Amino acid sequence: MVGCGAWSEVADVTAASLPGLEGRLALVTGGSRGIGRAVAVLLAAAGARVGIGCRRDTSGAEETLRRIRETAGDRCGEPWVEVADISTEDGVASLFGRLDAEYGGSLDVFVGNAGMWNPDPRPFRELASVEWRDMMDANLTSVYLTTRAAVMRMRDGGRIVLVSSTAAQRGEAGHSHYAASKGAVQSLVKSLAVELAGRRITVNAVAPGWVDTDMTSQVFEASARQRIEEEIPLGRVATAEDVAGPIVFLASELARHITGEVLNVNGGSVLCG
């Protein structure tokens, strides 16, 4: 069994191996850490101009911008961040107001990544209505509000990629509200794919399994990482970069005939009972 710490065969992704996204205008929500940060940096490495949204982690967002500048230099313009609560109408207005100022009201790539997951299991019978609403606001209402705003500004031929979860397909005991919110995202993707096809806008989802990020660190500390990895056929927990690569692929011309799909990025974990 190969653990994540021992994984040494993952080659660094270079600009030469990336699809060309020069001239594309991109927005990534939840860009201050984890998957969102990795996506933003990789989009910039591929040539896109990138803006990010974050709810409160300004220091993390600034680190993302620093990494974008380090990766892309000044060839993609200045990256930017807007701090906003995108589960609210006012927060979305703030984020997209900044986008309008930076991009002139146009958009080519939208990655809806922001969301939450509570590491503490909650049996369904004990799940309080406020917990349900908070999860839906963070993972579904925010996606509805931001994707709607993105569609209004997206140029024909654009790309929408929403981050779902393996939990939407196989369920997750103790996290039913999370699984339900991510399942709804997948249904939204399929509906929008048909609705926006006439404008050649593709809409897809990426469904990660376990990913080594700040959001999941408590679980890895509290339980044996080896047990989790033994349930993954490829034998390791994903890195944020493992998930970012497929997202950038879906944002590129290489994926121009893929829409309404859910791309699993989980090392094969959905194949195991």
Side-chain angles (χ1 to χ4, degrees):
M1 183 64 64
V2 179
C4 190
W7 188 262
S8 60
E9 299 177 8
V10 181
D12 291 334
V13 176
T14 65
S17 66
L18 290 169
L21 295 176
E22 290 80 5
R24 300 294 181 90
L25 304 174
L27 173 64
V28 180
T29 64
S32 64
R33 61 178 185 166
I35 294 171
R37 172 182 289 170
V39 171
V41 172
L42 203 58
L43 283 170
R49 184 178 177 192
V50 181
I52 65 171
C54 78
R55 184 170 182 174
R56 62 172 69 93
D57 185 6
T58 55
S59 61
E62 287 300 325
E63 173 61 16
T64 300
L65 298 189
R66 185 193 70 77
R67 295 190 190 187
I68 290 173
R69 296 185 189 104
E70 184 178 73
T71 299
D74 58 2
R75 66 189 179 93
C76 302
E78 180 66 14
W80 54 271
V81 60
E82 182 71 13
V83 180
D85 179 359
I86 58 171
S87 68
T88 69
E89 297 268 7
D90 288 346
V92 172
S94 175
L95 175 61
F96 281 85
R98 178 67 181 276
L99 181 147
D100 292 342
E102 297 285 347
Y103 294 166
S106 296
L107 186 62
D108 298 298
V109 177
F110 174 67
V111 180
N113 166 73
M116 68 177 286
W117 177 78
N118 189 335
D120 299 319
R122 177 76 71 180
F124 184 70
R125 66 181 180 276
E126 299 174 8
L127 188 64
S129 58
V130 66
E131 293 175 294
W132 177 273
R133 287 194 299 270
D134 286 348
M135 186 67 72
M136 293 301 157
D137 283 347
N139 290 355
L140 186 56
T141 301
S142 66
V143 170
Y144 152 66
L145 291 172
T146 53
T147 304
R148 184 181 63 171
V151 167
M152 292 176 180
R153 294 160 173 83
M154 188 156 285
R155 296 191 283 208
D156 289 355
R159 302 284 184 267
I160 297 172
V161 185
L162 304 182
V163 177
S164 180
S165 170
T166 298
Q169 292 145 281
R170 61 186 299 177
E172 190 171 357
H175 301 275
S176 57
H177 51 336
Y178 175 77
S181 69
K182 292 300 187 176
V185 167
Q186 293 186 11
S187 293
L188 178 64
V189 160
K190 294 177 183 296
S191 297
L192 290 182
V194 177
E195 188 171 325
L196 299 176
R199 294 177 52 196
R200 293 180 294 105
I201 295 173
T202 65
V203 189
N204 293 288
V206 164
W210 285 108
V211 185
D212 194 354
T213 66
D214 293 344
M215 190 169 70
T216 57
S217 60
Q218 182 178 328
V219 172
F220 295 141
E221 292 172 0
S223 60
R225 185 181 187 121
Q226 181 179 353
R227 177 183 59 80
I228 293 173
E229 292 182 332
E230 285 174 350
E231 297 174 354
I232 302 171
L234 286 183
R236 66 182 180 92
V237 170
T239 67
E241 289 74 21
D242 289 327
V243 183
I247 290 174
V248 172
F249 161 71
L250 289 172
S252 76
E253 282 300 300
L254 294 173
R256 65 184 179 272
H257 207 59
I258 300 174
T259 194
E261 293 298 324
V262 178
L263 179 56
N264 287 298
V265 186
N266 48 47
S269 61
V270 294
L271 304 175
C272 301

